[in-house]
Amino acid sequence: MTEVKSGKCAVVIVAAGSGQRLGHGVPKARVPLGGEPMLAHTVRGVVKAGIADQICIAIPAGDDELAEICRQLSTSSGAPAGVLWNVVDGGEDRAGSVQAALAVIAGDVTTVLIHDAARPLTPSGVFDRITSALRDGATAVIPALAVVDTIKEVVPAELPGTGAGLEKVSGTPARSRLRAVQTPQGFDVELLRRAHRYAETLQPAEAAQITDDAMLVEALGEDVYVVQGSTHSLKITSPTDLLLAEAMLQGPLRPRWVEG
Ligand code: CTP
Ligand code: MG
Protein backbone atom coordinates (compact mmCIF):
# COMPACT_ATOMS: atom_id res chain seq x y z
CA MET A 1 0.00 0.00 0.00
CA THR A 2 1.40 3.41 -0.85
CA GLU A 3 0.14 6.58 0.70
CA VAL A 4 1.91 9.67 -0.58
CA LYS A 5 1.06 12.90 1.22
CA SER A 6 1.59 16.48 0.15
CA GLY A 7 0.88 19.82 1.81
CA LYS A 8 2.73 22.68 3.41
CA CYS A 9 5.59 22.13 5.81
CA ALA A 10 6.49 24.30 8.81
CA VAL A 11 9.82 24.12 10.61
CA VAL A 12 9.88 25.13 14.27
CA ILE A 13 13.29 26.06 15.67
CA VAL A 14 13.31 25.90 19.47
CA ALA A 15 15.86 28.47 20.64
CA ALA A 16 14.43 29.53 24.00
CA GLY A 17 16.80 27.59 26.27
CA SER A 18 19.25 29.34 28.56
CA GLY A 19 22.32 27.22 27.79
CA GLN A 20 23.23 26.49 31.43
CA ARG A 21 25.54 23.58 30.59
CA LEU A 22 27.42 25.55 27.95
CA GLY A 23 28.01 28.18 30.61
CA HIS A 24 28.39 31.29 28.45
CA GLY A 25 25.99 33.30 30.57
CA VAL A 26 23.83 34.09 27.53
CA PRO A 27 21.14 31.98 25.80
CA LYS A 28 22.81 29.27 23.73
CA ALA A 29 21.26 30.49 20.45
CA ARG A 30 23.32 33.69 20.83
CA VAL A 31 26.63 31.97 21.62
CA PRO A 32 29.14 32.64 18.82
CA LEU A 33 30.06 29.80 16.45
CA GLY A 34 32.35 30.61 13.57
CA GLY A 35 31.99 34.30 14.48
CA GLU A 36 28.19 34.34 14.25
CA PRO A 37 25.35 33.52 16.67
CA MET A 38 24.70 29.76 16.72
CA LEU A 39 21.11 30.42 15.61
CA ALA A 40 22.31 31.92 12.31
CA HIS A 41 23.82 28.57 11.30
CA THR A 42 20.70 26.66 12.35
CA VAL A 43 18.37 28.98 10.42
CA ARG A 44 20.54 28.91 7.29
CA GLY A 45 20.61 25.10 7.49
CA VAL A 46 16.81 25.02 7.53
CA VAL A 47 16.58 27.49 4.64
CA LYS A 48 19.19 25.57 2.63
CA ALA A 49 17.21 22.34 3.02
CA GLY A 50 14.47 24.07 1.01
CA ILE A 51 11.60 22.24 2.70
CA ALA A 52 10.01 25.02 4.79
CA ASP A 53 6.90 26.99 3.78
CA GLN A 54 6.88 28.50 7.29
CA ILE A 55 9.72 29.00 9.76
CA CYS A 56 8.86 29.72 13.39
CA ILE A 57 11.57 30.45 15.95
CA ALA A 58 10.89 30.29 19.71
CA ILE A 59 13.24 32.58 21.64
CA PRO A 60 13.50 33.47 25.35
CA ALA A 61 10.76 35.96 26.33
CA GLY A 62 12.14 39.49 26.42
CA ASP A 63 15.44 38.69 24.64
CA ASP A 64 15.57 41.78 22.42
CA GLU A 65 19.01 40.89 21.11
CA LEU A 66 17.86 37.50 19.83
CA ALA A 67 14.67 39.08 18.43
CA GLU A 68 16.88 41.48 16.43
CA ILE A 69 19.09 38.59 15.24
CA CYS A 70 15.92 36.82 14.01
CA ARG A 71 14.74 39.99 12.27
CA GLN A 72 18.04 40.21 10.40
CA LEU A 73 17.97 36.49 9.54
CA SER A 74 14.49 36.86 8.03
CA THR A 75 16.16 38.72 5.16
CA SER A 76 19.82 37.59 5.27
CA SER A 77 19.27 33.82 5.57
CA GLY A 78 18.22 33.52 1.93
CA ALA A 79 14.67 32.39 2.74
CA PRO A 80 12.44 32.82 -0.34
CA ALA A 81 9.94 35.70 -0.07
CA GLY A 82 6.99 33.29 0.17
CA VAL A 83 8.23 31.66 3.37
CA LEU A 84 6.08 32.69 6.34
CA TRP A 85 8.32 33.88 9.19
CA ASN A 86 7.38 34.00 12.88
CA VAL A 87 9.25 34.65 16.11
CA VAL A 88 7.47 33.72 19.35
CA ASP A 89 8.27 33.82 23.07
CA GLY A 90 9.30 30.34 24.19
CA GLY A 91 8.09 28.56 27.32
CA GLU A 92 9.56 27.53 30.66
CA ASP A 93 10.61 24.18 29.22
CA ARG A 94 11.26 22.85 25.71
CA ALA A 95 7.73 21.45 25.36
CA GLY A 96 6.34 24.89 26.29
CA SER A 97 8.42 26.44 23.51
CA VAL A 98 7.08 23.92 20.99
CA GLN A 99 3.53 24.67 22.18
CA ALA A 100 4.05 28.43 21.74
CA ALA A 101 5.20 27.80 18.16
CA LEU A 102 2.33 25.42 17.38
CA ALA A 103 -0.08 28.24 18.25
CA VAL A 104 1.08 30.25 15.20
CA ILE A 105 1.40 27.44 12.62
CA ALA A 106 -0.57 28.40 9.52
CA GLY A 107 -3.88 26.65 8.83
CA ASP A 108 -2.72 25.11 5.53
CA VAL A 109 0.35 23.42 7.08
CA THR A 110 0.07 19.61 7.20
CA THR A 111 3.51 18.60 8.46
CA VAL A 112 5.79 20.20 11.01
CA LEU A 113 9.46 19.61 11.82
CA ILE A 114 10.72 20.48 15.30
CA HIS A 115 14.43 21.33 15.30
CA ASP A 116 16.83 22.30 18.09
CA ALA A 117 18.61 25.63 17.56
CA ALA A 118 21.42 23.84 19.41
CA ARG A 119 22.05 21.63 16.32
CA PRO A 120 23.53 24.27 14.00
CA LEU A 121 25.29 21.91 11.57
CA THR A 122 22.49 19.50 10.60
CA PRO A 123 22.97 18.64 6.91
CA SER A 124 20.15 18.96 4.32
CA GLY A 125 20.16 15.20 3.88
CA VAL A 126 18.63 14.72 7.33
CA PHE A 127 15.78 17.17 6.58
CA ASP A 128 15.25 15.36 3.25
CA ARG A 129 15.02 11.95 4.90
CA ILE A 130 12.45 13.22 7.42
CA THR A 131 10.24 14.98 4.88
CA SER A 132 10.40 12.10 2.45
CA ALA A 133 9.25 9.60 5.12
CA LEU A 134 6.36 11.99 5.97
CA ARG A 135 5.43 12.15 2.27
CA ASP A 136 5.48 8.36 2.20
CA GLY A 137 2.79 8.11 4.88
CA ALA A 138 4.62 8.25 8.24
CA THR A 139 2.98 10.58 10.78
CA ALA A 140 6.03 10.73 13.07
CA VAL A 141 9.69 10.42 11.98
CA ILE A 142 12.91 10.97 13.89
CA PRO A 143 16.60 10.90 12.88
CA ALA A 144 18.87 8.65 14.92
CA LEU A 145 22.32 7.12 15.07
CA ALA A 146 23.45 3.76 16.42
CA VAL A 147 25.06 4.28 19.82
CA VAL A 148 28.78 3.66 20.18
CA ASP A 149 28.97 3.35 23.96
CA THR A 150 27.50 0.48 25.92
CA ILE A 151 24.54 1.94 27.85
CA LYS A 152 23.73 0.80 31.42
CA GLU A 153 20.67 1.38 33.54
CA VAL A 154 21.54 2.33 37.11
CA VAL A 155 19.85 2.69 40.47
CA PRO A 156 21.04 4.51 43.62
CA ALA A 157 23.25 2.27 45.80
CA GLU A 158 25.56 2.31 48.80
CA LEU A 159 29.02 0.72 48.97
CA PRO A 160 28.80 -2.29 51.33
CA GLY A 161 31.88 -1.36 53.37
CA THR A 162 31.32 2.36 53.94
CA GLY A 163 27.71 3.07 53.00
CA ALA A 164 28.99 5.72 50.59
CA GLY A 165 26.26 6.68 48.18
CA LEU A 166 26.83 5.94 44.51
CA GLU A 167 25.03 3.92 41.82
CA LYS A 168 24.94 0.31 40.73
CA VAL A 169 23.98 -1.31 37.46
CA SER A 170 20.45 -2.65 37.18
CA GLY A 171 20.61 -3.68 33.53
CA THR A 172 22.33 -3.49 30.15
CA PRO A 173 20.01 -3.13 27.15
CA ALA A 174 21.31 -4.75 23.94
CA ARG A 175 23.30 -2.02 22.19
CA SER A 176 22.26 -3.21 18.73
CA ARG A 177 18.70 -2.08 19.49
CA LEU A 178 19.58 1.34 20.94
CA ARG A 179 19.61 4.60 18.98
CA ALA A 180 20.71 8.11 19.90
CA VAL A 181 17.98 10.46 18.72
CA GLN A 182 18.43 13.87 17.12
CA THR A 183 16.30 16.57 15.52
CA PRO A 184 14.62 17.61 13.21
CA GLN A 185 11.71 15.39 14.25
CA GLY A 186 8.84 15.43 11.76
CA PHE A 187 5.13 15.01 12.43
CA ASP A 188 1.68 15.26 10.99
CA VAL A 189 0.65 18.58 12.51
CA GLU A 190 -2.60 17.28 14.02
CA LEU A 191 -0.81 14.36 15.67
CA LEU A 192 1.77 16.72 17.19
CA ARG A 193 -0.98 19.02 18.49
CA ARG A 194 -2.68 16.00 20.09
CA ALA A 195 0.65 14.92 21.62
CA HIS A 196 1.19 18.35 23.16
CA ARG A 197 -2.37 18.51 24.48
CA TYR A 198 -1.50 15.26 26.28
CA ALA A 199 1.76 16.86 27.55
CA GLU A 200 -0.25 19.63 29.16
CA THR A 201 -2.07 17.03 31.31
CA LEU A 202 1.15 15.66 32.85
CA GLN A 203 2.25 16.26 36.42
CA PRO A 204 5.44 18.40 36.72
CA ALA A 205 7.59 15.35 37.62
CA GLU A 206 6.35 13.46 34.54
CA ALA A 207 6.70 16.52 32.31
CA ALA A 208 10.32 16.89 33.41
CA GLN A 209 11.07 13.45 31.91
CA ILE A 210 9.91 14.57 28.44
CA THR A 211 13.05 15.32 26.43
CA ASP A 212 11.71 15.18 22.89
CA ASP A 213 8.46 15.42 20.95
CA ALA A 214 8.53 11.80 19.79
CA MET A 215 8.14 10.62 23.43
CA LEU A 216 4.73 12.29 23.55
CA VAL A 217 3.65 10.64 20.30
CA GLU A 218 4.87 7.27 21.61
CA ALA A 219 2.75 7.81 24.73
CA LEU A 220 -0.30 8.12 22.44
CA GLY A 221 0.53 4.69 21.04
CA GLU A 222 1.33 5.99 17.54
CA ASP A 223 4.18 4.65 15.39
CA VAL A 224 7.37 6.71 15.30
CA TYR A 225 9.62 5.83 12.36
CA VAL A 226 13.39 6.19 12.43
CA VAL A 227 15.65 7.44 9.62
CA GLN A 228 19.42 7.88 9.58
CA GLY A 229 20.70 10.93 11.46
CA SER A 230 24.15 12.44 11.06
CA THR A 231 27.25 12.97 13.20
CA HIS A 232 27.23 16.55 11.83
CA SER A 233 23.94 17.04 13.63
CA LEU A 234 25.50 16.99 17.10
CA LYS A 235 23.74 19.00 19.81
CA ILE A 236 25.90 21.72 21.30
CA THR A 237 25.43 21.06 25.00
CA SER A 238 28.80 21.45 26.72
CA PRO A 239 31.97 23.42 25.92
CA THR A 240 33.63 20.43 24.21
CA ASP A 241 30.70 20.22 21.76
CA LEU A 242 31.34 23.83 20.80
CA LEU A 243 35.03 23.10 20.21
CA LEU A 244 34.08 20.20 17.95
CA ALA A 245 31.55 22.30 16.03
CA GLU A 246 34.17 25.04 15.49
CA ALA A 247 36.56 22.41 14.12
CA MET A 248 33.84 20.96 11.89
CA LEU A 249 33.09 24.42 10.47
CA GLN A 250 36.75 24.91 9.63
CA GLY A 251 36.46 21.65 7.77
CA PRO A 252 39.80 19.80 8.07
CA LEU A 253 38.00 16.48 8.61
CA ARG A 254 35.49 17.03 5.83
CA PRO A 255 36.90 14.55 3.27
CA ARG A 256 36.74 11.77 5.87
CA TRP A 257 33.05 12.29 6.70
CA VAL A 258 30.63 9.98 5.02
CA GLU A 259 27.20 10.80 6.47
CA GLY A 260 24.86 13.04 4.49
N1 CTP B 1 14.72 24.98 24.46
C1 CTP B 1 13.66 25.87 24.29
N2 CTP B 1 12.95 26.31 25.36
C2 CTP B 1 13.27 25.90 26.61
C3 CTP B 1 14.33 24.99 26.81
C4 CTP B 1 15.05 24.53 25.70
O1 CTP B 1 13.37 26.28 23.16
N3 CTP B 1 12.56 26.39 27.63
C5 CTP B 1 15.51 24.56 23.29
C6 CTP B 1 16.95 25.02 23.39
O2 CTP B 1 17.06 26.39 23.00
C7 CTP B 1 17.68 24.05 22.48
C8 CTP B 1 16.80 22.79 22.54
O3 CTP B 1 15.58 23.17 23.18
O4 CTP B 1 17.75 24.51 21.14
C9 CTP B 1 17.50 21.67 23.28
O5 CTP B 1 17.67 22.04 24.65
P1 CTP B 1 19.06 22.08 25.42
O6 CTP B 1 20.15 21.55 24.58
O7 CTP B 1 18.81 21.52 26.78
O8 CTP B 1 19.34 23.67 25.51
P2 CTP B 1 19.29 24.60 26.79
O9 CTP B 1 18.06 24.27 27.58
O10 CTP B 1 19.46 26.00 26.31
O11 CTP B 1 20.62 24.17 27.57
P3 CTP B 1 20.77 23.77 29.11
O12 CTP B 1 19.80 22.63 29.36
O13 CTP B 1 22.20 23.41 29.27
O14 CTP B 1 20.38 25.02 29.90
MG1 MG C 1 17.82 22.30 28.51
Side-chain angles (χ1 to χ4, degrees), residues 22-200:
L22 197 54
H24 271 241
V26 296
K28 199 151 66 179
R30 273 206 257 141
V31 168
L33 169 64
E36 289 179 286
M38 191 181 304
L39 182 65
H41 297 271
T42 315
V43 169
R44 279 202 307 268
V46 169
V47 169
K48 185 167 167 229
I51 44 100
D53 298 296
Q54 179 174 9
I55 295 174
C56 179
I57 309 172
I59 64 171
D63 190 331
D64 295 339
E65 215 172 307
L66 211 41
E68 174 60 19
I69 288 167
C70 289
R71 201 192 56 73
Q72 286 172 17
L73 284 168
S74 69
T75 52
S76 69
S77 63
V83 173
L84 190 57
W85 185 273
N86 305 87
V87 178
V88 297
D89 286 346
E92 287 284 301
D93 56 14
R94 186 183 182 281
S97 296
V98 173
Q99 287 153 18
L102 280 176
V104 302
I105 296 302
D108 55 353
V109 162
T110 56
T111 57
V112 58
L113 272 55
I114 311 294
H115 190 39
D116 292 330
R119 297 184 192 271
L121 303 181
T122 303
S124 293
V126 178
F127 289 94
D128 292 343
R129 289 192 281 278
I130 297 290
T131 51
S132 104
L134 289 170
R135 269 197 305 276
D136 290 348
T139 54
V141 196
I142 60 177
L145 293 177
V147 299
V148 293
D149 295 318
T150 297
I151 307 290
K152 305 281 185 193
E153 282 179 354
V154 296
V155 291
E158 291 175 357
L159 267 185
T162 61
L166 63 180
E167 294 174 333
K168 69 178 181 185
V169 172
S170 58
T172 309
R175 192 174 65 184
S176 58
R177 295 182 56 221
L178 296 177
R179 300 289 178 269
V181 170
Q182 305 176 328
T183 71
Q185 300 190 344
F187 304 93
D188 171 271
V189 71
E190 285 313 320
L191 176 59
L192 189 64
R193 285 191 200 281
R194 190 151 64 86
H196 276 276
R197 280 197 298 273
Y198 163 73
E200 283 167 332

Side-chain angles (χ1 to χ4, degrees), residues 235-249:
K235 181 157 74 76
I236 312 292
T237 305
S238 60
T240 47
D241 300 322
L242 195 56
L243 274 179
L244 186 55
E246 290 284 3
M248 290 166 105
L249 267 184

